[in-house]
Amino acid sequence: MPVMDGLTLIDRIKAKPDLAAVPIVVITTEGDTGERDRAMAKGAVDFLVKPIQGAAVATVVKKHLGMP
């Protein structure tokens, strides 16, 4: 993202009471475990590394929205 990194975005979303409960799924090109750990520690609920298939995104979104 050109203006801010994803970790900063997570911080800003989680700081807003009306958005704090929104599940955040990170989709990134950064596949290292350190990046994943930092995102999850900040409040992301899942972490997908590109390239990804649409079905993988759908599965993760359904899981975190409690859909079958």
Side-chain angles (χ1 to χ4, degrees), residues 13-49:
I13 291 170
K14 293 299 182 180
K16 296 184 179 278
D18 57 327
L19 298 177
V22 173
I24 298 172
V25 176
V26 173
I27 299 175
T28 183
T29 59
E30 302 292 329
D32 67 80
T33 57
E35 188 71 16
R36 181 188 189 286
D37 292 345
R38 286 187 291 280
M40 301 300 278
K42 289 190 172 281
V45 296
D46 224 313
F47 191 88
L48 299 172
V49 179

